Amino acid sequence: MCRVLKVSESGYYQSLFHVCEPRPWQLLLVKIKQVYTRHPNNDNYGVNRIRLVLKQNGISVSKSTVRRAMKKGGLIKTSPRHSGSLTESDADAQKADNLIVRNFTADAPNRK
């Protein structure tokens, strides 16, 4: 059967035994959602604040682990990014007048 499905025997048996076990990030996501339910007015908690609350509750996890769990759970908040400048530049308005007109001679110091 494994040859027909092109699956290794070890992979098949591993999938049989580990189907019901939740992943570590799923367990962490449950605890993160508990933090959100305890603080319903602060649903804008970011990765750093969630990590701080988890640490206060005795759960020591890294910042990247919290970020990964929140991203897979759809809890990451992103702010809108502006592309480019807010105003368009006008090349004619920025040009300085050509007062010297390539005449570099002067009668006295500080006269041009």
Side-chain angles (χ1 to χ4, degrees), residues 23-35:
R23 305 277 183 193
W25 68 266
Q26 291 171 333
L27 297 174
L28 182 63
L29 187 60
V30 169
K31 293 177 182 175
I32 291 172
K33 287 184 179 182
Q34 288 174 354
V35 170

Side-chain angles (χ1 to χ4, degrees), residues 1-16:
M1 183 170 82
C2 290
R3 268 187 259 130
V4 173
L5 296 174
K6 296 182 181 175
V7 178
S8 66
E9 288 183 39
S10 62
Y12 170 74
Y13 286 110
Q14 186 178 12
S15 69
L16 287 180

Side-chain angles (χ1 to χ4, degrees), residues 32-89:
I32 291 172
K33 287 184 179 182
Q34 288 174 354
V35 170
Y36 281 126
T37 57
R38 272 186 284 171
H39 306 283
N41 295 332
N42 294 327
D43 61 344
N44 60 352
Y45 274 11
V47 174
N48 290 329
R49 187 170 288 182
I50 290 290
R51 184 170 177 248
L52 179 67
V53 172
L54 290 174
K55 188 175 182 181
Q56 289 172 351
N57 292 336
I59 302 167
S60 179
V61 289
S62 68
K63 186 176 178 180
S64 60
T65 304
V66 173
R67 177 180 285 118
R68 196 175 307 120
M70 288 177 69
K71 186 174 182 180
K72 288 181 180 180
L75 299 175
I76 293 285
K77 308 288 187 202
T78 58
S79 61
R81 300 280 180 175
H82 297 287
S83 60
S85 64
L86 297 177
T87 59
E88 293 183 19
S89 61

